[in-house]
């Protein structure tokens, strides 16, 4: 699934993304660390993996979108 980075706190390594429909979804440090990233800037396109759907979606991986 693809999304756009919305917020990121380098101290806690957590933040949020916007799904393509505009829905914000939070991610925690474990999801950020799973992607092997060191930094994330607002507006970057990312690939996410998660569990659940809708309001119960929990992001388990955040990494940069590559083509």
């Amino acid at each position: 699934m693809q999304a756009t980075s919305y917020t990121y706190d380098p101290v806690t390594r957590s933040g949020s993304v916007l799904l393509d429909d505009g829905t914000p979804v939070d991610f925690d440090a474990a999801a950020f660390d799973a992607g092997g990233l060191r930094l994330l800037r607002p507006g970057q396109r990312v690939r996410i993996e998660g569990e659940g759907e809708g309001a119960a979606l929990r992001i388990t991986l955040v990494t940069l979108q590559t083509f």
Side-chain angles (χ1 to χ4, degrees):
M1 184 181 332
Q2 296 179 21
T4 302
S5 172
Y6 185 52
T7 65
Y8 174 68
D9 181 345
V11 174
T12 63
R13 297 181 331 281
S14 62
S16 63
V17 298
L18 292 176
L19 302 180
D20 288 342
D21 67 1
T23 303
V25 181
D26 295 332
F27 63 86
D28 59 16
F32 182 79
D33 292 345
L37 299 175
R38 293 189 297 169
L39 179 66
L40 193 58
R41 293 186 314 264
Q44 284 182 299
R45 284 297 280 176
V46 294
R47 183 176 69 85
I48 59 172
E49 292 180 10
E51 300 173 341
E53 294 181 13
L57 177 62
R58 185 179 78 76
I59 295 176
T60 58
L61 173 105
V62 178
T63 191
L64 292 181
Q65 176 63 38
T66 59
F67 296 95

